[in-house]
Amino acid sequence: MGVHNPPVSQTEPLADLTLLNTRPSHQAADLTALAQAQGVTVLSCPTLAIESLALPQDAMGVFKTFDKIVFVSRNAVTVLAELFQTQEVASPPFAQVAQSYAIGQATHQALLEQGWPTASLNHDQFVSEDLLASEAMQDLSGQKILIVKGEGGRPTLKSGLTLAGADVTEWFIYRRIQEPFCDQAWVEFQAAKHPVLLASSLQAWSNLVKNLAAAIGQPALIHAQDWLFAQDIIVFSQRIEKAVKDAGWQGGIWVVPQQTNDGVLAALTQIRTEAQTIDDTAKP
């Protein structure tokens, strides 16, 4: 006779799942609360922290000259707002005709929450390639565009906008710092019935892998990476999906339908549904 899982609670439909939330601490709480409300056990394991940098010295005057401002992350929005507020300016001084553009749905939502002039684009995925292909980013001759971002990242956006004729400036206003390994959360994660890793950014995932490699001398972590690569992982983009596949990931890889907390919850629901289907199929 096969092993039968107990029926899933209707009030906590995802109770079998344990999510390792690798988001920065200041961005993790809303997702944790949402997932816990559905019965998911959530373990906090921030793999990076955000450190603000300084605005350019002439930021106040220069910002008014940009026709379009592209924000590459939610952090780019919140950090820019904070940096201007430290100069006793409630909001960046947008030019009258300026529009903001978002890479990532969470970034778009952050712009709306700030009340900044935000373009509404008709595309399903908020990634650099889609923005570059949009009608708003064609024939940019004579236009000045600012990209607000953290240190590092891909050159795709700047290159594409420059090819379209724009005069492009980049402001690097924050950096990502690797966090220490979450030893206690990891022990609980490995003991979970159905562990699921969240990688909302490529660096969040790579930092976790680096932390595991650095801790490999600990007896409990000798085979930790092999074990991890056999689990389910939720990722925020096809680019991250490709990276984890290329690194040798053997478990399930689930790309969120939208880059939001609800998108993560939808992926968790898909994972639980598939697991339940497999269990039902295995019943005699």
Side-chain angles (χ1 to χ4, degrees), residues 43-269:
L43 302 173
S44 177
C45 183
T47 61
L48 58 88
I50 303 299
E51 180 182 73
S52 299
L53 302 175
L55 289 172
Q57 287 188 345
D58 55 351
M60 194 69 66
V62 171
F63 193 87
K64 302 174 184 178
T65 68
F66 293 112
D67 302 290
K68 293 179 171 67
I69 301 93
V70 182
F71 294 86
V72 303
S73 69
R74 187 180 188 94
N75 288 316
V77 178
T78 56
V79 172
L80 186 72
E82 292 166 359
L83 289 174
F84 271 105
Q85 287 165 10
T86 62
Q87 298 189 10
E88 299 184 354
V89 178
S91 175
F94 288 89
Q96 187 172 358
V97 296
Q99 287 281 289
S100 299
Y101 296 80
I103 303 298
Q105 289 168 306
T107 310
H108 185 76
Q109 183 60 38
L111 288 170
L112 295 178
E113 290 170 1
Q114 291 288 346
W116 296 349
T118 303
S120 178
L121 300 178
N122 183 25
H123 49 74
D124 297 326
Q125 294 281 336
F126 287 78
V127 296
S128 297
E129 289 79 3
D130 289 322
L131 180 62
L132 291 171
S134 67
E135 185 178 351
M137 296 300 172
Q138 310 306 308
D139 190 15
L140 298 174
S141 299
Q143 293 201 38
K144 296 185 66 176
I145 298 182
L146 172 65
I147 301 173
V148 185
K149 59 187 298 186
E151 290 182 341
R154 297 189 299 160
T156 305
L157 189 57
K158 182 178 181 180
S159 297
L161 294 173
T162 301
L163 284 173
D167 177 7
V168 183
T169 300
E170 292 181 308
W171 284 3
F172 301 94
I173 62 170
Y174 65 91
R175 65 166 60 100
R176 304 170 187 85
I177 302 171
Q178 185 164 338
E179 290 272 40
F181 185 54
C182 55
D183 302 78
Q184 184 55 46
W186 181 261
V187 171
E188 296 179 47
F189 187 58
Q190 280 199 292
K193 179 178 181 179
H194 190 154
V196 180
L197 173 65
L198 173 66
S200 57
S201 70
L202 190 55
Q203 189 163 4
W205 172 75
S206 63
N207 281 359
L208 178 61
V209 174
K210 289 176 185 176
N211 280 337
L212 285 175
I216 208 72
Q218 301 178 30
L221 296 175
I222 291 175
H223 302 293
Q225 182 169 307
D226 292 340
W227 175 86
L228 177 64
F229 277 37
Q231 309 310 314
D232 286 313
I233 183 172
I234 296 173
V235 300
F236 263 41
S237 69
Q238 292 176 339
R239 185 168 72 96
I240 305 174
E241 177 188 28
K242 182 179 185 303
V244 299
K245 279 183 178 178
D246 290 346
W249 197 273
Q250 300 297 311
I253 304 175
W254 306 80
V255 182
V256 294
Q258 64 266 356
Q259 297 171 344
T260 62
N261 291 340
D262 286 335
V264 175
L265 190 62
L268 287 167
T269 302

